Amino acid sequence: MKRKAALRIQHKAALFATAFCLVLPTAWVYGQEKKPAAPSEDPEVKMGREAHEEMVKSGLKLVSDPALVKRVETIGQKLAALANQTPIPALYGTENKLTRPLNYRFFIVDDPDTNAFALPGGFVYVNKGLLKYTQSDDELAGVMGHEIIHAAHSHGAKLQREQSKLNTQMAIAALGAILAKVPMQDTGNLLTGFQLLAIQKVNGYGQTAEKDADQGGIILAQKAGFNPVGMLTFMERLARDQRSHPDVEMGIFRTHPPEKVRAVAMIAQISQMGLPINRRSTASILKVTTRVDGSITEVLLDGKLFLRTGKPERAKEVATALDKALDQELQVYDVRKLGSAIQIRGEHLVTLETGDGTLPPERLADDACKMLRLSLYRYVLNGTL
């Protein structure tokens, strides 16, 4: 799957710029008798709605596949219901206003990029590429919860105010330089410095907003009945992909904290919540399955053969024991072979028998032990930080 080097799960800056440009003063209409005016559309909803309409008009392609739409809508509405009913502490912006519930709307963008973003007022967008990249509903819920927090905590409106404040400061600085008759070249250098400072400040605000969305998204996913570890496994995979395809160092232009830093923070938060961190429950990591091939039942680990036997019940028992053992966050050295038996942390897992293959039992145990160790090595190397 083709993805940009920088895999994002937040707002696109251009979309925010579009939304900000569409902000208009709230209109109130009064009758001659000065009757109370009917409430106008919420400014943030208006901002998001007009930005959405502009994007669609400009050619944004949305997916209408019923199965995909149902999946996103089902997960989204579970999260949205909690966001409208449960206060989530805000590190940035404002705590979600339970007296002003948002009517969240979810859209799938026909784009292979691994990305999601939100507009003010509850407009949440998930790229088709993200749906392919996530490995469970828990991972998808983590990403969508992150975007919902952006809207619930009014990050867009907050960032707009900060940007407006900085623009005013820049204008005052420019006017002061002109009135003081500062040479044009020096004035240009001064403005360039202010612009870089503004970028640094706004991106700093943006990183704080992302931290808030990460933290709030995990809380929201957990309260909605999803496993918050899904957000962690998703972020760790992004960090791994960033190592494989490193991004250009953005410096002050970076708008998001590095994926590895975010993953470490997620581990700390989930641990503080008293929840177990079992990555196998939310991602396709060290998956144990069985497959029937005629009279033979095979036990597979990540699709690779671990054991084959003519006894279906034995295959089921081995698969169950192996699955349980792998939940212990094993290391390569935890797996040992003793004769034709395989042990994990000193506990018996399985003894290979004649009939489990064409080779002698000890050779079969050798192969199974090497395969298990190799799978664990790959997991430690690629599956986590």
Side-chain angles (χ1 to χ4, degrees):
M1 176 176 60
K2 185 179 179 181
R3 297 187 294 275
K4 293 181 181 178
L7 298 173
R8 306 178 302 280
I9 55 171
Q10 295 84 15
H11 318 296
K12 290 181 178 176
L15 294 175
F16 258 130
T18 301
F20 293 161
C21 290
L22 292 171
V23 181
L24 296 174
T26 302
W28 293 87
V29 179
Y30 293 91
Q32 293 181 352
E33 298 180 7
K34 295 185 179 181
K35 294 180 180 179
S40 66
E41 184 177 22
D42 183 283
E44 290 183 43
V45 174
K46 179 181 177 66
M47 186 192 308
R49 177 181 59 76
E50 292 183 345
H52 171 79
E53 291 171 356
E54 185 63 31
M55 289 192 301
V56 172
K57 191 185 301 181
S58 300
L60 182 72
K61 295 181 179 178
L62 300 177
V63 175
S64 58
D65 181 286
L68 295 181
V69 170
K70 182 180 179 181
R71 181 188 179 203
V72 169
E73 188 71 21
T74 299
I75 294 174
Q77 291 303 335
K78 280 185 180 180
L79 295 165
L82 264 296
N84 282 331
Q85 298 170 7
T86 307
I88 307 293
L91 299 175
Y92 185 84
T94 57
E95 189 173 288
N96 44 321
K97 303 177 182 65
L98 306 186
T99 56
R100 190 210 66 179
L102 291 174
N103 178 24
Y104 287 92
R105 280 145 287 196
F106 302 94
F107 305 91
I108 303 174
V109 182
D110 193 3
D111 188 326
D113 223 20
T114 304
N115 193 24
F117 60 96
L119 292 177
F123 294 80
V124 179
Y125 304 81
V126 176
N127 278 9
K128 194 173 181 180
L130 178 75
L131 298 181
K132 291 182 179 180
Y133 191 75
T134 52
Q135 296 182 354
S136 66
D137 283 355
D138 294 307
E139 286 196 347
L140 181 56
V143 177
M144 293 180 69
H146 172 105
E147 298 304 333
I148 286 173
I149 290 296
H150 275 312
H153 286 178
S154 301
H155 288 168
K158 174 73 171 177
L159 283 168
Q160 182 200 19
R161 290 194 296 273
E162 301 294 353
Q163 179 70 67
S164 177
K165 192 185 305 179
L166 289 169
N167 287 344
T168 300
Q169 292 172 356
M170 285 179 61
I172 293 172
L175 179 60
I178 293 170
L179 293 176
K181 297 182 180 180
V182 174
M184 188 60 67
Q185 181 178 352
D186 292 340
T187 301
N189 292 337
L190 176 66
L191 289 177
T192 299
F194 267 107
Q195 286 173 339
L196 291 175
L197 179 62
I199 290 172
Q200 187 176 32
K201 282 190 174 182
V202 170
N203 286 352
Y205 298 142
Q207 292 200 35
T208 305
E210 296 307 322
K211 291 176 183 177
D212 180 45
D214 281 347
Q215 178 175 291
I218 284 176
I219 295 172
L220 190 60
Q222 191 267 337
K223 288 183 177 295
F226 296 98
N227 188 340
V229 175
M231 186 61 177
L232 171 62
T233 54
F234 175 85
M235 193 59 62
E236 287 180 333
R237 198 156 60 254
L238 286 186
R240 180 198 67 196
D241 288 348
Q242 284 284 46
R243 291 200 302 269
S244 302
H245 308 284
D247 194 9
V248 176
E249 179 54 46
M250 298 299 289
I252 66 170
F253 295 96
R254 176 182 284 279
T255 57
H256 306 84
E259 284 77 8
K260 182 174 181 179
V261 173
R262 296 169 70 185
V264 170
M266 290 174 188
I267 292 173
Q269 181 184 352
I270 294 170
S271 298
Q272 288 170 3
M273 293 168 70
L275 301 173
I277 297 178
N278 180 1
R279 294 171 174 85
R280 297 179 64 242
S281 64
T282 61
S284 298
I285 299 172
L286 298 175
K287 289 293 183 183
V288 179
T289 57
T290 58
R291 180 175 64 195
V292 177
D293 182 13
S295 61
I296 300 297
T297 302
E298 298 175 335
V299 178
L300 308 174
L301 178 58
D302 284 340
K304 296 180 176 59
L305 181 66
F306 176 75
L307 170 79
R308 65 195 313 271
T309 175
K311 304 174 182 177
E313 285 303 315
R314 179 164 176 260
K316 183 178 178 181
E317 289 174 6
V318 171
T320 300
L322 178 59
D323 201 42
K324 183 178 179 180
L326 289 170
D327 278 341
Q328 303 176 52
E329 294 288 328
L330 301 178
Q331 299 296 323
V332 175
Y333 53 76
D334 290 324
V335 180
R336 297 183 58 193
K337 183 185 83 75
L338 190 62
S340 59
I342 296 176
Q343 295 182 342
I344 293 182
R345 291 183 177 172
E347 297 292 328
H348 178 265
L349 176 67
V350 62
T351 298
L352 279 296
E353 302 174 351
T354 302
D356 288 339
T358 57
L359 298 174
E362 284 200 27
R363 288 284 306 278
L364 292 173
D366 270 333
D367 291 344
C369 184
K370 289 176 182 177
M371 179 266 180
L372 180 52
R373 285 176 173 171
L374 182 59
S375 294
L376 288 170
Y377 175 75
R378 286 173 177 159
Y379 166 63
V380 172
L381 186 67
N382 296 320
T384 66
L385 300 176

